Amino acid sequence: MKSKVITLDAFSSQLRDGMSIMFGGFMGNGTPPTLMQVLLDSGVKELTLIGNDTAVPGLGVAPLIAAKRVRKVIASHIGLNPETGRQMMAGEMEVELIPQGTLAERIRAGGAGLGGFLTPTGVGTVVEEGKQRMTINGRDYLLELPLRADLALVHAKRGDMAGNLYYRRSARNFNPLIALAADRVFAEVEELLNIGDLDPDLVMTPAMLIEGIVKGESQ
């Protein structure tokens, strides 16, 4: 297997205005800090960000939002980042809030090539607006459609040069899901190993999904 280690400049060259980008993490944990900094420094704008939350001020995707580079956020909550809420209320940025389990399943469906799935979550609430309701065996469900993105940016504890990845603890939240649901996937790892040095039993995202990998700092 060949090395997929790339420079930060090579990653930056893949960025453009208007991209949809999935990112792993919960409150910034599991979000790749080095790749996020490159994204910020690149100057790209009009982005659609898809992830669990918008972190807290100064962490994760929060600097992108503060710099007004984001056109739309698709997330399960935004309460820990006041700037996200401010821009939403001011009409400066669109925010689509999705129940956390539904968000994860929509991403999983996108990665699995499914046309959607049925869930009772949100029936009879504002979540139902604009969606198809179906009744099966006397119970109502909403049809939720899959989510995909142009890029997925993941953060792993360890990875080998081929791109096989191991996530540590809570970083194993959305990272494995988004690695399946984007056209291209770039990874940042804290520990970069030679090919063959990562125990196959620990691989959570296989190398075949990764287009490029960079060495970052430990969190």
Side-chain angles (χ1 to χ4, degrees), residues 23-144:
F23 61 94
F26 189 99
M27 295 174 55
N29 182 39
T31 304
T34 304
L35 295 183
M36 286 297 161
Q37 187 61 50
V38 173
L39 191 55
L40 182 65
D41 293 342
S42 73
V44 293
K45 57 187 183 300
E46 295 295 309
L47 300 173
T48 296
L49 298 182
I50 305 170
N52 180 68
D53 57 83
T54 54
V56 298
L59 293 178
V61 299
L64 284 167
I65 292 170
K68 296 188 176 181
R69 303 284 183 74
V70 181
R71 180 186 64 82
K72 181 177 181 178
V73 164
I74 300 174
S76 72
H77 70 89
I78 59 172
L80 297 176
N81 188 344
E83 179 62 15
T84 305
R86 189 201 67 75
Q87 290 188 30
M88 178 183 71
M89 297 302 293
E92 298 171 359
M93 180 176 65
E94 183 181 353
V95 175
E96 180 181 350
L97 293 174
I98 304 174
Q100 190 174 75
T102 301
L103 175 63
E105 190 66 6
R106 286 184 66 183
I107 294 171
R108 190 194 71 81
L114 302 179
F117 64 95
L118 299 176
T119 176
T121 302
V123 171
T125 73
V126 294
V127 174
E128 184 176 350
E129 293 178 4
K131 297 175 182 176
Q132 183 178 351
R133 183 194 289 207
M134 301 179 66
T135 302
I136 300 175
N137 294 329
R139 189 175 188 185
D140 290 337
Y141 297 86
L142 299 181
L143 173 63
E144 294 283 359

Side-chain angles (χ1 to χ4, degrees), residues 22-25 50-51 107-108 151-155 167 173-185:
M22 288 184 175
F23 61 94
I50 305 170
I107 294 171
R108 190 194 71 81
L151 294 183
L153 306 181
V154 301
H155 185 228
Y167 308 103
N173 40 48
F174 280 81
N175 277 301
L177 289 177
I178 67 171
L180 290 165
D183 295 338
R184 291 177 293 164
V185 185

